[in-house]
Amino acid sequence: MDSRRGSRFVIDPKIRQVGFVPAGCESENPNASSAVAAIANVDVNPTSDSPSPVMIPPRLADPLPRAAPLPVPSPPPRKHTSVEIPLQGSYNPTDSVLGTSPPFSPASNGRYAGVPSSEGPDLSPSFVSRASSAMEGMSLREDHLGSPSASRFATVGEYAMFKQQQPQQPATAVTKVYASSLPQEPVQSFAPVGKEDSSKPLKERTTKAERRAKQEADREAKRIAKESAGAKVVEGEARASSNVVGKASRAQSQKKDSASEKRLSAVEKASEKEKKKEIPAPRMQFDDQSRVAKAKKRALIEQTETKHRVELFRHLPQFVYGAQLPSLEAKFFHDDAMHPHPAVYQVGLQYLTGDITGGNARCIAMLSAFKELIKDYCTPRERTLIRDLTARVNNNVSFLTTCRPLCISMGNAIRFLKTRIAKLQLTLSESDAKSLIIAEIDRFMQEKINYADNEITKLAVTKIKDGDVILTYGSSCVVETIILHAFSLGKKFRVVIVDSRPKLEGKGLLRRLLGRGISCTYSHINAVTYIIQEVNKVFLGASSILSNGTVYSRVGSASVAMVANAFHVPVMICCETYKFHERVQLDSICFNELGDPDALVKIPGRKGLSELEGWSQSSHLKLLNLMYDVMPADYVSMIITELGMVPPTSVPVILREYRKDPIL
Amino acid sequence: MGQQMNFQVVLLAGGVSKQLFPLVSKELPKALLPLGNKPLLSYTLEQLESSNLKSIIVVVAGEDVAEQIRAWISGAYDDRLSVESVTVAEDAGTADALRAVASRLTAEHILVISGDLVCDIPLGAIAATHCRKKASMTALLCALQVAGTSDGSSGSTGKEKAKQQSSNDVIGLDPSHEFLTFMASAARIDKQLQIQRSIVRAFGRVELHTDLVDDHLYVFKRTILQEVLEGCPGIRSIKEELVPYLIRSQLQRSNPTIQSKPLTENGGEQFERKIAPNQLVKSPLEQASLLGAQANNMKCCAYIVNKDRYCARVNSVQSFIDVNQDVAGERAVHLTGYDISRSNNVIHPTSKLGYKSTVGPHCMLGEGSEMGDKCSIKRSVVGRHCRIGSGVKIMNSVVMDHVTIDDGCIVQGSVICNNAHLQERVTLKDCQVGAAYIVSGEHQGEALAKRDKN
């Protein structure tokens, strides 16, 4: 595996510029240094109302898959002179702070480079100084720092000091900042978060020795956890859907208040709790057995884990596929507090059986179901609408998650909905509040999905010229509308549809395009290197785009993009901005979705692969049906969003600037 | 509760069925016919209850019958179910029955279930399929059961079966077996079948099945149901008119119909017919077309019963006997709630068996029944408080309550109703004996009942 990874790395040297830069290379690589500056910037400037492109530091517990390639000295970056980058003029990655490739936590930087932790002190002061310089250039952002965040600033300042005192542990500092800068649950209004944070230093200000002890214990615990966790990676992404964890941490903080009285006796305990608090609410890790057991108790669907779990993906849910639907159906008419709303139930069923697929379709279905839910909602006595409705939404979301893991865009939509609910004025009457939220949902669907698609179509069509040969992979509804629109404008072009098993989604697209009389070529991904030679543009859809410009998309897209890149064919990703996410992901392992392994065995119209017959009986065979993969930003020439055509490095800017006012 | 998922249940309990003539009467409507010594309707009601559907509208044909059923339900289910009963005219069709309750329907989806259905299919699964597909109608289809009946049936019933099979319904499915594309009930099939071209085009391929039975369990979308019931007053029967009408109007295009190949029935042969590919517009990508064409139209879905589930209807004397046997054996005994013995039968502890009497598998012996010596009962259900003399042989039969059978009788493939009396050495084969009838002599293939024409 190492050797394979290594060789891939040689082919694709640019990936290092995205984030992983060995400390030694820092000076030679302008990209990297700007990345570091951005980190520092992040450290100092965590305003909660402008979700900065803070990266969630991976929990430093994953040395296996990524450590290997890094010590390889970096070959000089390849030049792709012939690649047309449409926005070349405005885009200069080296001097734009906003446009830098994603910032990365210095800790992980050091770690991946194999630098001993003693190097920490050297790094962090420079971060701070650089950060201040970066801040001068950030007047734009500072303008938006409202008064509520001022107190936060103090907190952050203290964190910075704290960090200097404990230079070996920059990661924790970053994590803390992150936790305060992004509300873990959008539901919580900012005020309580701020309060909690500002009260925390008071608590901590005990004695220096005690803090020291706490730190020591903390570090020790971390190391143990790291060793035991194996391949576990925590993307410290506070997913809206992981309300469970949010609740847990809230409960902990409450407990902590009472526990703080017996502080003297419970230094160790406190440090443990502290540690828990510092780690941002992680997504459910399915190799954490106690948590899985807890989740199972709550879940409506009975899920039995497969015997054939793929080790590397143990942290993802791997359930027996066939068992879910009957158990869900059996409970159709059941009546308990946990029962989701009928509309949500219906959508859940459709997710489970694959009747609704595609990011936009799923998101719209979910939002429509939530609209129904809110319409039918009435506040129970002695409850407030805001809290109760949020709980209700959470319930329904967790039901949907058990049906099929939510995609990132849906997470964003849920976050939006919950912020809207949380921000409702208490004085509103119930009916007013409901109609307000329904109107907001409608607006979201209109603006963020429908209009966005229209706008993307308009923009992308300008990139299709007569005589073009366009390649697309799988079936993306945006790409489809683009092609249809371009065709209706009378452009003469040809479409190559590349498809892959097991889903063969391209067939549907092919059929619809042929229905309109567009000349098409249909091929499977095995032939992509051949077919790419006649192609001059690649249009792809995306499930999500992460803030380092990484495109998270249907499995296979990355290969197509890589091949296109190698043949100097521009790759254009069509994606609405509501699918953008602050997270950074460098591989498709830590977060992904696993499909039905049986889909690999079954071939429509054929009896199936005889070699794989009865595979579930064999203990040696494990099938892995990954649903998504990750395309490094280097392969992407351009991202077409409703806000314009931007380079992948501008994703953090869009995230920062357009989500400040949380319309999303 | 069902209301929470926006479902409402209409139970069609029927009245006095003509097919079950000597068995049912004004005194004993079809719904209360004892099946495994429990009223037929209780199976459906219990199934609904187990699915947490507790508010039910029961439609009964005929005033007297309604009164009886109402009395029985309020006695047996008073505390468990909230049942609302509606009476329609005796000769009303099933669609008329729905029309009678149309004004009471408020939920989004309506589950219509026939009172003579005995099955253990989770209703949730059907409802889930309906919801998932956003269908306007979902019908429960069941594979025709041959295996269960071919053994043990005597020759003449086999012939009867063959006759039945020759007049099977023709049900069209799409290749994924999810959508209904065609349905013609046996009564309405002439020599030719007409299939709309638009449907064939939309689905790519249509499979015509004669090995499936429509089991009279439907889920309708209320708005569409009410619209159709109002708009087409000519529709009288759900199965024969309403469902085919909905299927026809799936793709609301008024295309001229084409004639597919004439369908000639040849005996009781079981087969699945596939229209030859050259006869239809076969698209290379059926699935895609299906999605495309189906997007905006109403859909009719099918829920096909798994082979391991039990599903049967009691709509003829033969099926009545068959289902009785099934509920007495391991196949469907779980529906009755009785404990099955090791020898695969159900014998009530208060019943008395004489010396050297044997009760075989698939038998049920009711409360307080007494049997003389050297009797043998095979694959039969005997009701409560029956008195059976010595040397009686009962095979493949149903004996209801309070029946007296004197010594030396042989009963085969017959149904003997309440309070009937079989005198000594009576031999019955494939007979139906009406209530309180006194039989003597030898009979074969007769319906013996009092002619009580009022």
Side-chain angles (χ1 to χ4, degrees):
Chain A
M1 182 189 188
D2 280 1
S3 65
R4 241 196 306 152
R5 285 243 153 201
S7 64
R8 177 185 173 268
F9 200 76
V10 172
I11 291 174
D12 168 32
K14 282 178 166 187
I15 195 164
R16 210 171 303 103
Q17 295 176 354
V18 178
F20 293 137
V21 185
C25 309
E26 210 177 319
S27 54
E28 300 140 32
N29 199 333
N31 250 1
S33 68
S34 59
V36 172
I39 300 158
N41 167 15
V42 160
D43 277 356
V44 186
N45 210 0
T47 49
S48 56
D49 46 351
S50 65
S52 52
V54 182
M55 281 4 352
I56 302 93
R59 208 236 241 142
L60 316 181
D62 187 11
L64 271 177
R66 277 174 273 169
L70 282 158
V72 179
S74 80
R78 276 202 300 179
K79 296 276 184 210
H80 291 298
T81 43
S82 63
V83 177
E84 321 164 15
I85 297 174
L87 287 188
Q88 200 100 35
S90 68
Y91 163 50
N92 192 350
T94 48
D95 60 6
S96 143
V97 178
L98 303 182
T100 46
S101 41
F104 221 73
S105 100
S108 61
N109 226 338
R111 181 163 303 276
Y112 288 128
V115 183
S117 57
S118 63
E119 222 202 89
D122 300 335
L123 284 171
S124 57
S126 66
F127 283 152
V128 175
S129 62
R130 233 177 262 158
S132 56
S133 66
M135 268 180 61
E136 287 165 27
M138 293 296 294
S139 59
L140 196 138
R141 284 194 63 185
E142 274 174 332
D143 288 344
H144 295 284
L145 297 173
S147 53
S149 57
S151 65
R152 192 78 56 67
F153 236 95
T155 325
V156 171
E158 207 195 274
Y159 278 131
M161 276 169 55
F162 181 74
K163 198 179 81 181
Q164 275 177 326
Q165 279 178 351
Q166 310 289 337
Q168 286 99 326
Q169 281 219 320
T172 43
V174 172
T175 321
K176 270 185 183 171
V177 170
Y178 170 74
S180 60
S181 68
L182 267 184
Q184 303 197 344
E185 258 191 299
V187 186
Q188 297 171 330
S189 58
F190 292 136
V193 175
K195 212 174 106 195
E196 198 181 280
D197 279 356
S198 55
S199 70
K200 197 163 66 177
L202 284 176
K203 246 183 277 157
E204 279 173 3
R205 204 171 289 141
T206 46
T207 65
K208 201 167 182 180
E210 210 175 302
R211 258 184 285 159
R212 188 84 201 174
K214 220 185 266 183
Q215 288 290 323
E216 291 290 343
D218 202 342
R219 213 173 304 153
E220 193 60 39
K222 246 187 195 169
R223 200 183 311 142
I224 292 163
K226 194 196 309 160
E227 276 160 16
S228 63
K232 186 153 88 177
V233 180
V234 173
E235 319 88 17
E237 196 267 303
R239 277 193 65 180
S241 62
S242 64
N243 57 351
V244 186
V245 183
K247 261 182 215 156
S249 69
R250 220 183 300 155
Q252 272 164 21
S253 71
Q254 280 170 2
K255 253 187 249 162
K256 209 178 142 69
D257 286 335
S258 63
S260 61
E261 271 131 45
K262 342 168 194 169
R263 204 183 304 143
L264 281 172
S265 61
V267 176
E268 296 241 323
K269 248 189 211 168
S271 73
E272 211 167 273
K273 275 174 189 164
E274 188 67 17
K275 187 194 85 189
K276 275 186 189 165
K277 206 169 180 185
E278 277 170 16
I279 301 168
R283 177 178 295 106
M284 172 96 163
Q285 298 290 304
F286 283 81
D287 45 0
D288 184 343
Q289 293 200 341
S290 61
R291 214 167 251 166
V292 169
K294 259 189 223 164
K296 239 183 213 169
K297 261 184 231 161
R298 269 193 322 272
L300 191 67
I301 308 179
E302 280 164 39
Q303 293 174 316
T304 42
E305 296 198 322
T306 41
K307 280 177 259 166
H308 303 269
R309 275 180 291 177
V310 183
E311 270 311 304
L312 191 57
F313 290 92
R314 274 190 79 122
H315 57 287
L316 299 174
Q318 297 188 37
F319 295 121
V320 177
Y321 257 73
Q324 297 178 357
L325 187 62
S327 75
L328 188 56
E329 282 174 341
K331 292 190 180 160
F332 190 84
F333 290 117
H334 278 226
D335 173 25
D336 49 17
M338 282 294 290
H339 204 87
H341 186 269
V344 178
Y345 203 101
Q346 184 170 335
V347 170
L349 276 172
Q350 285 170 328
Y351 288 169
L352 189 63
T353 53
D355 284 318
I356 295 183
T357 50
N360 283 346
R362 277 168 74 192
C363 203
I364 287 176
M366 180 188 71
L367 287 176
S368 318
F370 281 149
K371 244 166 64 181
E372 291 294 314
L373 179 140
I374 290 166
K375 245 179 230 166
D376 295 350
Y377 174 81
C378 60
T379 320
R381 294 181 57 153
E382 295 171 15
R383 302 291 298 269
T384 55
L385 178 127
I386 294 178
R387 290 192 178 199
D388 194 58
L389 187 56
T390 309
R392 185 72 63 85
V393 169
N394 283 343
N395 244 345
N396 283 284
V397 167
S398 61
F399 166 76
L400 289 181
T401 321
T402 52
C403 290
R404 187 180 160 185
L406 303 179
C407 60
I408 293 168
S409 57
M410 289 161 74
N412 281 340
I414 292 166
R415 192 139 61 111
F416 158 79
L417 174 63
K418 293 211 279 190
T419 0
R420 285 291 132 171
I421 295 173
K423 285 197 166 181
L424 282 176
Q425 285 172 345
L426 285 166
T427 50
L428 277 177
S429 74
E430 189 183 302
S431 61
D432 284 351
K434 277 161 65 177
S435 56
L436 200 72
I437 294 175
I438 288 172
E440 288 286 352
I441 295 177
D442 277 330
R443 196 165 63 90
F444 183 89
M445 290 203 281
Q446 271 303 327
E447 276 182 19
K448 291 284 165 182
I449 305 176
N450 288 356
Y451 291 167
D453 277 351
N454 288 346
E455 204 56 37
I456 290 172
T457 311
K458 270 185 223 157
L459 286 172
V461 157
T462 60
K463 293 287 150 204
I464 299 180
K465 298 193 174 64
D466 280 351
D468 272 355
V469 180
I470 290 160
L471 184 141
T472 182
Y473 175 76
S475 171
S476 154
C477 66
V478 190
V479 173
E480 186 182 337
T481 45
I482 290 167
I483 292 171
L484 292 179
H485 186 56
F487 185 73
S488 68
L489 292 180
K491 301 196 176 187
K492 305 265 182 299
F493 60 96
R494 199 154 67 78
V495 181
V496 176
I497 298 170
V498 176
D499 207 354
S500 77
R501 285 205 62 237
K503 286 202 150 195
L504 296 176
E505 292 160 313
K507 279 187 173 183
L509 177 66
L510 177 65
R511 154 132 197 117
R512 292 188 288 272
L513 295 189
L514 286 177
R516 298 295 192 88
I518 301 172
S519 63
C520 296
T521 307
Y522 180 80
S523 161
H524 276 211
I525 196 163
N526 339 10
V528 73
T529 44
Y530 166 74
I531 206 87
I532 200 82
Q533 297 175 23
E534 55 189 71
V535 169
N536 59 359
K537 263 156 212 165
V538 174
F539 280 88
L540 296 174
S543 169
S544 176
I545 300 184
L546 310 177
S547 67
N548 56 346
T550 301
V551 177
Y552 182 75
S553 187
R554 173 68 67 223
V555 67
S557 310
S559 334
V560 171
M562 184 174 73
V563 171
N565 189 47
F567 282 84
H568 309 314
V569 178
V571 176
M572 288 172 251
I573 307 289
C574 309
C575 183
E576 302 85 355
T577 52
Y578 87 102
K579 291 179 176 173
F580 287 15
H581 198 269
E582 298 90 351
R583 189 200 306 167
V584 161
Q585 198 174 321
L586 297 147
D587 57 33
S588 40
I589 297 168
C590 63
F591 177 69
N592 208 321
E593 191 184 330
L594 300 180
D596 183 7
D598 274 323
L600 295 176
V601 182
K602 285 175 194 145
I603 297 175
R606 251 178 72 183
K607 280 212 169 150
L609 299 171
S610 53
E611 295 84 358
L612 297 182
E613 244 167 45
W615 66 276
S616 52
Q617 264 78 53
S618 162
S619 60
H620 300 295
L621 180 61
K622 281 161 188 159
L623 295 186
L624 177 63
N625 182 9
L626 278 181
M627 301 280 272
Y628 295 96
D629 66 8
V630 153
M631 180 193 307
D634 317 64
Y635 300 152
V636 180
S637 320
M638 181 167 81
I639 296 171
I640 305 177
T641 72
E642 72 265 27
L643 303 172
M645 296 183 268
V646 297
T649 42
S650 297
V651 173
V653 186
I654 289 177
L655 280 172
R656 190 173 55 228
E657 296 303 319
Y658 287 88
R659 289 198 194 158
K660 227 172 350 200
D661 163 39
I663 178 186
L664 184 80
Chain B
M1 203 176 268
Q3 281 80 356
Q4 199 198 327
M5 288 309 287
N6 232 332
F7 267 79
Q8 231 175 343
V9 183
V10 178
L11 173 58
L12 304 178
V16 182
S17 164
K18 287 194 185 71
Q19 282 102 336
L20 292 165
F21 154 61
L23 277 59
V24 296
S25 61
K26 285 253 161 61
E27 288 77 43
L28 185 70
K30 182 180 173 184
L32 301 181
L33 206 60
L35 182 74
N37 295 335
K38 290 171 80 180
L40 182 54
L41 198 60
S42 70
Y43 290 86
T44 317
L45 287 174
E46 248 143 60
Q47 199 197 359
L48 289 169
E49 195 193 359
S50 72
S51 298
N52 206 18
L53 289 163
K54 292 184 178 164
S55 154
I56 300 160
I57 300 175
V58 179
V59 187
V60 191
E63 276 298 336
D64 307 349
V65 178
E67 205 48 58
Q68 284 183 49
I69 291 178
R70 215 172 286 152
W72 173 73
I73 289 176
S74 63
Y77 290 94
D78 194 26
D79 46 343
R80 293 191 279 167
L81 301 172
S82 82
V83 176
E84 194 182 344
S85 73
V86 175
T87 315
V88 293
E90 254 174 76
D91 57 345
T94 44
D96 295 330
L98 277 187
R99 219 170 262 136
V101 295
S103 57
R104 297 169 193 243
L105 304 178
T106 49
E108 196 181 338
H109 305 288
I110 311 296
L111 182 80
V112 179
I113 185 168
S114 168
D116 58 5
L117 183 66
V118 181
C119 69
D120 59 355
I121 300 151
L123 295 176
I126 302 162
T129 310
H130 180 78
C131 279
R132 186 158 59 82
K133 300 281 175 205
K134 293 190 174 163
S136 57
M137 185 209 71
T138 304
L140 176 73
L141 300 181
C142 176
L144 202 64
Q145 285 166 1
V146 234
T149 50
S150 60
D151 54 353
S153 302
S154 54
S156 64
T157 52
K159 240 181 269 165
E160 199 181 310
K161 274 255 119 69
K163 210 170 77 191
Q164 270 186 0
Q165 278 169 16
S166 68
S167 59
N168 272 337
D169 303 342
V170 178
I171 293 169
L173 294 173
D174 79 308
S176 63
H177 287 209
E178 280 174 349
F179 295 101
L180 275 171
T181 55
F182 182 79
M183 188 182 280
S185 61
R188 291 175 183 252
I189 295 176
D190 308 327
K191 286 276 182 244
Q192 289 180 334
L193 282 179
Q194 299 216 328
I195 296 176
Q196 279 167 292
R197 181 184 275 154
S198 62
I199 283 189
V200 177
R201 191 180 289 140
F203 288 95
R205 202 169 70 187
V206 175
E207 285 178 15
L208 292 184
H209 289 261
T210 51
D211 57 346
L212 291 174
V213 200
D214 177 7
D215 268 315
H216 287 229
L217 195 162
Y218 309 99
V219 186
F220 293 103
K221 205 172 188 176
R222 178 180 54 89
T223 47
I224 288 172
L225 180 68
Q226 286 177 336
E227 197 179 295
V228 173
L229 287 179
E230 256 176 54
C232 313
I235 290 179
R236 295 200 68 233
S237 151
I238 297 179
K239 186 196 167 200
E240 291 180 6
E241 287 158 310
L242 179 63
V243 171
Y245 176 84
L246 286 174
I247 292 171
R248 271 201 307 278
S249 51
Q250 266 188 95
L251 304 162
Q252 283 162 335
R253 271 185 239 153
S254 52
N255 270 9
T257 57
I258 56 158
Q259 289 189 355
S260 156
K261 75 173 174 191
L263 193 81
T264 47
E265 295 288 344
N266 34 357
E269 189 193 339
Q270 287 284 319
F271 61 93
E272 179 195 309
R273 255 194 224 93
K274 278 185 186 171
I275 300 178
N278 57 0
Q279 279 188 307
L280 44 90
V281 197
K282 192 182 173 190
S283 50
L285 304 152
E286 293 111 351
Q287 286 179 333
S289 71
L290 196 150
L291 290 172
Q294 286 282 302
N296 303 321
N297 295 297
M298 33 195 271
K299 294 178 225 174
C300 296
C301 288
Y303 181 90
I304 298 177
V305 180
N306 257 346
K307 291 261 188 281
D308 54 344
R309 294 287 186 178
Y310 185 77
C311 182
R313 280 189 72 212
V314 179
N315 53 0
S316 67
V317 175
Q318 185 56 43
S319 66
F320 177 66
I321 296 173
D322 291 342
V323 176
N324 258 308
Q325 281 173 11
D326 287 336
V327 297
E330 78 273 299
R331 194 137 177 258
V333 77
H334 56 277
L335 291 169
T336 58
Y338 296 132
D339 293 326
I340 194 160
S341 74
R342 250 178 305 167
S343 48
N344 197 9
N345 54 19
V346 181
I347 297 173
H348 198 274
T350 57
S351 57
K352 286 175 197 154
L353 267 70
Y355 175 68
K356 273 194 168 176
S357 286
T358 55
V359 179
H362 290 278
C363 285
M364 195 179 276
L365 207 54
E367 186 188 343
S369 285
E370 289 174 19
M371 239 194 299
D373 301 340
K374 292 186 183 172
C375 289
S376 123
I377 299 180
K378 288 174 187 163
R379 308 179 69 86
S380 299
V381 174
V382 177
R384 298 183 186 88
H385 306 291
C386 292
R387 303 194 164 275
I388 297 169
S390 301
V392 174
K393 285 192 166 73
I394 302 176
M395 282 168 287
N396 298 320
S397 300
V398 179
V399 178
M400 294 184 194
D401 300 346
H402 300 286
V403 174
T404 311
I405 300 175
D406 289 345
D407 296 355
C409 288
I410 298 172
V411 180
Q412 216 177 19
S414 303
V415 181
I416 299 164
C417 291
N418 290 342
N419 301 319
H421 185 184
L422 267 61
Q423 289 171 333
E424 271 186 42
R425 302 198 184 284
V426 166
T427 308
L428 291 178
K429 200 175 175 199
D430 306 322
C431 291
Q432 295 89 42
V433 180
Y437 192 80
I438 299 165
V439 191
S440 56
E442 203 169 301
H443 297 276
Q444 189 169 357
E446 287 174 56
L448 308 165
K450 285 178 187 166
R451 296 276 155 199
D452 52 350
K453 290 285 172 202
N454 46 339

